Amino acid sequence: MRFCLSFILLAVCTFKCHGDEHTHTLAPTAKVEAPIVFLDKSPRIVAYQLKRLDNARLLMVARETDDAKYAPVYSAILARPGMSPQFREEAAEALSELGNASVTSVLLDTFSSVEGDDRAVRRTQRELATRLLGQAAGKLAENTDVLLEATKSDDSFVRSVGFAALLTAGQASKAMERAAADDEATLSWLKSIELIPSQVTRSTLRDAVVHTLRESVSAEPKNAAIDALGFIDSDSTDTYQLVAPLVADPSLRRSAVKTLLKTDDKSLASEVSTSLLGELVSYAEKTPAADRTSADFTDAMQL
């Protein structure tokens, strides 16, 4: 084996050129030099310089917490897709120190700065949300006003993060009061539940979610409530019995199926299951062959 590998390496490094045989040794890897970035230029020029760097080279740019000129470097690191958590942590803390602002404020301000394709943006924003919501409840509670303002953001994901942070901070009354303000707030609150780290906190919201599901007249809040129930472990039997009949409604079927797939098998009451099975078989029979490879159909058949 060693002989074979040696022979292959020799063959790769040896080639003929214009009839002469030359043996070449592999050149050592060139040392990557730290990029030169002029931080004393206008914000637009600084941003342009940093944007041209890949993640590895961006991390090579000098940065310190004793001068505000380094803030754009930390901001770029914090908002950059694919950045390791430890560097995001460092950047958030540095920006907090440089700007005399809370880490919560820094992270909320960063959501709008994330660039890339839709998938990269969503993934990076999720990572920022995880960092924000991973703070101690007391730290989040100190930023209650900031979080309430976040629930009014033009960005739907930021609104949900604001609600999730308020609930994690123990500010349920303020979160629920805000959630009842309008339909947009209600939707953002429902979508925040999957972001909440504590399953105990999620469970305290179950009654409110069920009430929204039962009282709403339009499909959008109903679907959001059904989705939310899929992230609440408590009372799974009741969830199963409540959601299973909704599979019959085409406008709710997708959310209902996904939530039921998350339900504990011990919750499957036989009478409800028999009715559900009949509905799923009927759905399968009515679905054209061309549509039977869709994710929604596959999920239904898995159920």
Side-chain angles (χ1 to χ4, degrees), residues 144-145 148 163 166 171-179:
T144 297
D145 291 342
L148 279 170
F163 277 111
L166 283 171
Q171 302 295 314
S173 60
K174 292 184 177 181
M176 299 309 295
E177 181 181 354
R178 172 72 190 116

Side-chain angles (χ1 to χ4, degrees), residues 55-222:
N55 286 6
R57 289 174 64 79
L58 174 59
L59 291 172
M60 295 175 71
V61 177
R63 55 190 187 274
E64 301 289 344
T65 57
D66 59 357
D67 193 325
K69 74 176 183 179
Y70 296 107
V73 182
Y74 287 115
S75 294
I77 292 172
L78 186 58
R80 183 68 67 86
M83 194 61 70
S84 297
Q86 66 265 32
F87 295 117
R88 291 200 203 281
E89 178 83 16
E90 174 204 346
E93 295 290 345
L95 288 168
S96 174
E97 183 176 343
L98 286 169
N100 193 27
S102 67
V103 169
T104 298
S105 296
V106 167
L107 291 167
L108 287 172
D109 289 342
T110 303
F111 283 104
S112 61
S113 303
V114 179
E115 297 182 350
D117 59 34
D118 289 345
R119 179 176 296 181
V121 169
R122 287 195 299 272
R123 182 172 60 249
T124 304
Q125 288 186 334
R126 284 270 178 171
E127 292 170 0
L128 293 172
T130 298
R131 171 66 183 87
L132 189 154
L133 295 166
Q135 298 178 90
K139 283 288 185 182
L140 291 173
E142 292 173 3
N143 291 271
T144 297
D145 291 342
V146 174
L147 296 172
L148 279 170
E149 196 61 32
T151 65
K152 304 172 186 177
S153 170
D154 292 334
D155 187 315
S156 61
F157 185 73
V158 173
R159 292 197 299 271
S160 292
V161 171
F163 277 111
L166 283 171
L167 293 162
T168 300
Q171 302 295 314
S173 60
K174 292 184 177 181
M176 299 309 295
E177 181 181 354
R178 172 72 190 116
D182 51 58
D183 292 343
E184 185 178 78
T186 299
L187 287 173
S188 296
W189 160 65
L190 288 168
K191 292 177 181 178
S192 77
I193 291 174
E194 67 170 290
L195 300 173
I196 298 172
S198 169
Q199 186 59 240
V200 173
T201 301
R202 295 184 196 180
S203 294
T204 64
L205 303 168
R206 189 180 186 282
D207 288 346
V209 173
V210 171
H211 176 78
T212 302
L213 173 57
R214 286 175 170 159
E215 297 299 319
S216 297
V217 295
S218 59
E220 190 171 18
K222 282 182 176 291

Side-chain angles (χ1 to χ4, degrees), residues 220-299:
E220 190 171 18
K222 282 182 176 291
N223 276 303
I226 294 168
D227 289 338
L229 286 173
F231 295 97
I232 299 174
D233 288 348
S234 60
D235 297 318
S236 57
T237 298
D238 184 66
T239 294
Y240 181 76
Q241 294 176 341
L242 177 65
V243 174
L246 303 181
V247 172
D249 186 336
S251 68
L252 305 178
R253 181 180 294 127
R254 181 175 183 273
S255 294
V257 166
K258 285 186 172 295
T259 289
L260 291 171
L261 283 172
K262 298 175 184 176
T263 306
D264 190 329
D265 288 344
K266 296 177 182 179
S267 304
L268 310 186
S270 59
E271 290 184 6
V272 178
S273 296
T274 300
S275 177
L276 175 59
L277 178 59
E279 183 58 43
L280 291 169
V281 170
S282 176
Y283 168 57
E285 292 173 343
K286 295 175 182 177
T287 301
D291 297 332
R292 293 180 182 175
T293 56
S294 68
D296 290 351
F297 184 83
T298 302
D299 284 345

